[in-house]
Amino acid sequence: MDEVEVVVAHSERATLRVGDVFLKVDADQARIDVEVEAMALVPVPTPEVLWRKPPVLAIAAVPGTALGRLGEPSTASSAAWAAAGAAIRQLHEAPLPPWPGRRRRGPDELAAELDGECELLVTNGVLPADLVTRNRQVAEAAIRRWTPVFTHGDLQIEHVFVDGDEVAGIIDWSEAGRGDALFDLATLTLGHEEHLDDVIAGYGTDVDLDVIRAWWSLRSLLGVRWLVEHGFDPSAPGCEVDVLRSRM
């Protein structure tokens, strides 16, 4: 019998791997519904859905290896990073999904969420006040009106798999929906600023780099407390706290 590997597990969801099959167990059925529907719509490689029996979704492993991991140097080539940028452009040019997206939906809502989170970070002593204040200033550039595109919504570096210099598959679509294109680009390059030029070259159009940097600060500020509460370490080298410190 194949060994059962716990890929990720916390109070909201868990992912197990048995051989070439991933079993995703999610307390929120809506996330699984979005994931399956998004994978059926997007024009980029995704895992094959094997079966569903709520609250479990079984999908096949994609070939290749992850583009990298947060907190570790990426061994992927510049061409692979550029291919990731090209795949993201394909996604963003696809017709909008029929659902609005699960994340915040506009600049006012985003600003209110960020202000509340910054207050909690300081009040609870999670991060120093000067670090939060500086990154809140940087994050301001991301709080603006944008033209919605089909976004992945959680395009972490570990969710993009490459085989050589080609994108072999993109996984974990539960946060997909209408959103800001630069949020996807920022999420992919979080903690890997050295590969931003490669991604933008593959993406193939001019983007506002200040907004991408603002999203690095904004995503990190919004994520630190959640990560701590769910057993992750955002202060590990190269991770979210280091991203925030790099803006000082």
Side-chain angles (χ1 to χ4, degrees):
M1 178 180 292
D2 288 309
E3 181 177 307
V4 176
E5 175 191 355
V6 179
V7 179
V8 63
H10 50 76
S11 60
E12 294 180 3
R13 68 188 86 166
T15 301
L16 310 176
R17 180 172 186 168
V18 185
D20 288 333
V21 177
F22 286 86
L23 301 175
K24 305 188 72 171
V25 185
D26 201 316
D28 184 350
Q29 183 58 38
R31 277 195 291 253
I32 295 294
D33 293 340
V34 165
E35 180 153 13
V36 172
E37 189 167 356
M39 289 192 293
L41 292 176
V42 296
V44 297
T46 63
E48 176 189 359
V49 175
L50 301 176
W51 51 265
R52 329 172 44 185
K53 187 175 181 181
V56 182
L57 170 67
I59 59 176
V62 297
T65 57
L67 191 60
R69 298 189 185 282
L70 185 62
E72 301 176 10
S74 171
T75 59
S77 67
S78 294
W81 280 89
I88 298 169
R89 179 70 180 275
Q90 282 186 285
L91 170 64
H92 291 169
E93 291 182 339
L96 288 171
W99 63 92
R102 295 171 51 84
R103 294 183 177 271
R104 73 284 304 173
R105 298 177 186 177
D108 293 340
E109 185 178 351
L110 179 60
E113 181 183 1
L114 180 59
D115 288 341
E117 189 63 31
C118 288
E119 182 178 354
L120 288 172
L121 288 170
V122 175
T123 301
N124 295 339
V126 180
L127 293 174
D130 61 339
L131 186 66
V132 172
T133 299
R134 171 56 183 156
N135 278 275
R136 176 61 181 85
Q137 293 169 347
V138 174
E140 187 67 29
I143 303 173
R144 83 260 183 254
R145 298 288 174 186
W146 59 76
T147 301
V149 299
F150 198 141
T151 57
H152 180 282
D154 190 23
L155 198 61
Q156 301 176 47
I157 186 175
E158 296 181 28
H159 292 165
V160 178
F161 281 69
V162 294
D163 189 357
D165 295 338
E166 302 294 330
V167 173
I170 301 177
I171 66 172
D172 285 359
W173 291 85
S174 61
E175 303 293 337
R178 304 176 191 179
D180 180 7
L182 299 192
F183 177 74
D184 270 355
L185 294 172
T187 302
L188 181 68
T189 54
L190 182 76
H192 288 272
E193 186 170 357
E194 70 277 11
H195 292 292
L196 178 59
D197 288 346
D198 296 327
V199 171
I200 299 306
Y203 194 72
T205 188
D206 290 336
V207 300
D208 190 330
L209 297 182
D210 286 339
V211 173
I212 289 181
R213 295 186 180 101
W215 271 121
W216 288 339
S217 290
L218 202 159
R219 181 183 171 96
S220 297
L221 287 169
L222 291 181
V224 164
R225 195 167 56 90
W226 184 95
L227 290 166
V228 171
E229 291 174 353
H230 288 79
F232 301 100
D233 184 9
S235 62
C239 295
E240 285 81 1
V241 175
D242 274 356
V243 171
L244 295 172
R245 288 173 178 152
S246 72
R247 299 302 106 188
M248 297 296 286

